[in-house]
Amino acid sequence: MIVDEKVVVDEASKKLVVGGSRQGVGSSIFATGQLSANFYASSCPNFSSIISSAVNSAVSNEARMGASLLRLHFHDCFVNGCDASVLLDDTANFTGEKTAIPNNNSLRGFDVIDTIKSQLESSCPGVISCADIVAKAALDSVVALGGPSWNLVFGRRDSTTASLSAANSNIPAPTLNLSGLITSFSNQGFTTNEMVALSGSHTIGQARCTIFRARLYNENNINSSFATSLRANCPSSGGDNNLSPLDVASPTSFDNAYFNNLLNQNGLLHSDQQLFNGGSTDAQVRTYNANSATFLTDFANGMLKMSNLNPLTGSSGEVRTNCRRTN
């Protein structure tokens, strides 16, 4: 899907060139026509190490931050593309995405992004976009927790607007059934297998009691001892913000334990257990449980595809000086 602007074909490279446009989720040619691994090679050659160092420090201080930065990237890209719209604060005449149902009192890591942006502005002012920072921070977070890397390309620009309504409608809810999950990811150009692979991000991170309470007390496809162990920290009323790990087996290691949890009906969220509940994705869960390398490869490929969702490039958007507000 190409939105806005004129599309031409560079005959020398046979790649689509989109003049200052949003580039869509089809082939990698569409997604990376103006993005490049070497985009900042001359303008800010040390940007990558600056981001990595800050992420490693943040994750070392709090392992959960790795999951939070990964989730921040996901919640950015699923709402009108990877354009850092999720970072914009509300103002008197502007409503951003931070108060959307999936984000409000839940999305974290904004301070880490602020720190990185400040360091980059000192090193090479006005060069590195917030959207590229979010994408790289997510990659570095996964690597810091023992997960795979992927070949990010850069050159995303930052949006000058945001969409509360799109954030409320596009981000898959933890209450979704399998068909809803498949549809939600399909709307962003992902296959069902890619959806399962990306769901493996729940091998790290934590969730609030209010998100999984209904599963503990109302669902039958949950291991009884697992449910009992969680109820002490998540009572039937109260304790809404009490946290439990999404992967009880290895909550701060990026591995394939999440899928073993599903086989044993130890999925924390309703949407997690839907991946292994007698449906079309059961076989994929078994495959990832049996073969860690296959999962890690598929996850990395899925993340690369997600990082290229509908970026602003060229003369579209801007490079924000402060990630929380437009220039």
Side-chain angles (χ1 to χ4, degrees):
M1 176 183 67
I2 304 291
V3 182
D4 301 330
E5 303 294 340
K6 183 175 70 174
V7 179
V8 296
V9 177
D10 178 348
E11 288 299 322
S13 64
K14 296 297 184 184
K15 288 190 175 183
L16 290 177
V17 178
V18 187
S21 73
R22 286 244 182 221
Q23 302 177 29
V25 300
S27 72
S28 60
I29 287 176
F30 283 33
T32 60
Q34 290 189 349
L35 304 182
S36 164
N38 300 314
F39 192 85
Y40 298 117
S42 59
S43 59
C44 193
N46 61 342
F47 87 100
S48 180
S49 61
I50 290 174
I51 298 174
S52 297
S53 177
V55 169
N56 289 340
S57 176
V59 174
S60 177
N61 288 336
E62 182 198 13
R64 182 190 175 202
M65 186 54 69
S68 297
L69 291 170
L70 175 58
R71 185 168 179 246
L72 194 62
H73 183 37
F74 170 58
H75 283 220
D76 181 31
C77 293
F78 262 54
V79 182
N80 299 325
C82 305
D83 60 3
S85 60
V86 72
L87 303 180
L88 291 172
D89 284 342
D90 292 355
T91 67
N93 52 14
F94 171 82
T95 302
E97 298 166 13
K98 289 183 176 178
T99 56
I101 293 170
N103 299 337
N104 196 29
N105 298 318
S106 173
L107 215 54
R108 306 170 72 244
F110 299 110
D111 54 338
V112 177
I113 301 300
D114 290 340
T115 296
I116 294 169
K117 182 60 174 173
S118 177
Q119 293 174 358
L120 289 169
E121 286 298 301
S122 296
S123 180
C124 39
V127 174
I128 311 296
S129 70
C130 300
D132 278 345
I133 294 171
V134 172
K136 182 65 163 61
L139 165 60
D140 290 335
S141 291
V142 171
V143 171
L145 294 174
S149 182
W150 51 94
N151 296 319
L152 268 183
V153 287
F154 301 97
R156 300 164 191 81
R157 290 173 65 86
D158 299 326
S159 68
T160 55
T161 187
S163 177
L164 179 70
S165 61
N168 278 323
S169 61
N170 292 5
I171 297 169
T175 53
L176 287 180
N177 292 332
L178 181 59
S179 61
L181 290 168
I182 291 171
T183 297
S184 180
F185 278 78
S186 177
N187 288 343
Q188 302 291 338
F190 291 102
T191 67
T192 299
N193 280 3
E194 289 169 334
M195 179 272 289
V196 176
L198 289 172
S199 296
S201 62
H202 286 180
T203 186
I204 54 175
Q206 301 184 61
R208 294 176 298 149
C209 167
T210 186
I211 301 300
F212 58 87
R213 175 184 285 120
R215 171 157 165 73
L216 292 188
Y217 293 94
N218 300 327
E219 297 185 9
N220 296 320
N221 61 343
I222 185 170
N223 182 288
S224 59
S225 60
F226 176 63
T228 298
S229 69
L230 290 169
R231 285 173 185 152
N233 191 45
C234 185
S236 56
S237 63
D240 283 2
N241 292 321
N242 292 351
L243 298 170
S244 290
L246 288 158
D247 169 11
V248 68
S250 53
T252 60
S253 296
F254 199 98
D255 53 28
N256 67 334
Y258 168 80
F259 298 101
N260 186 257
N261 294 338
L262 300 185
L263 293 181
N264 294 310
Q265 294 191 319
N266 288 340
L268 183 67
L269 307 182
H270 173 83
S271 55
D272 288 330
Q273 197 60 55
Q274 285 293 298
L275 301 182
F276 191 80
N277 195 43
S280 62
T281 54
D282 282 14
Q284 193 72 15
V285 170
R286 288 194 180 96
T287 295
Y288 289 156
N289 177 63
N291 193 323
S292 174
T294 299
F295 160 59
L296 295 176
T297 296
D298 287 357
F299 178 82
N301 288 335
M303 285 301 300
L304 179 59
K305 181 173 178 177
M306 189 180 80
S307 72
N308 294 330
L309 285 180
N310 212 24
L312 288 165
T313 61
S315 59
S316 288
E318 63 182 17
V319 175
R320 293 184 210 138
T321 301
N322 182 327
C323 290
R324 292 175 179 267
R325 58 175 182 264
T326 60
N327 293 342

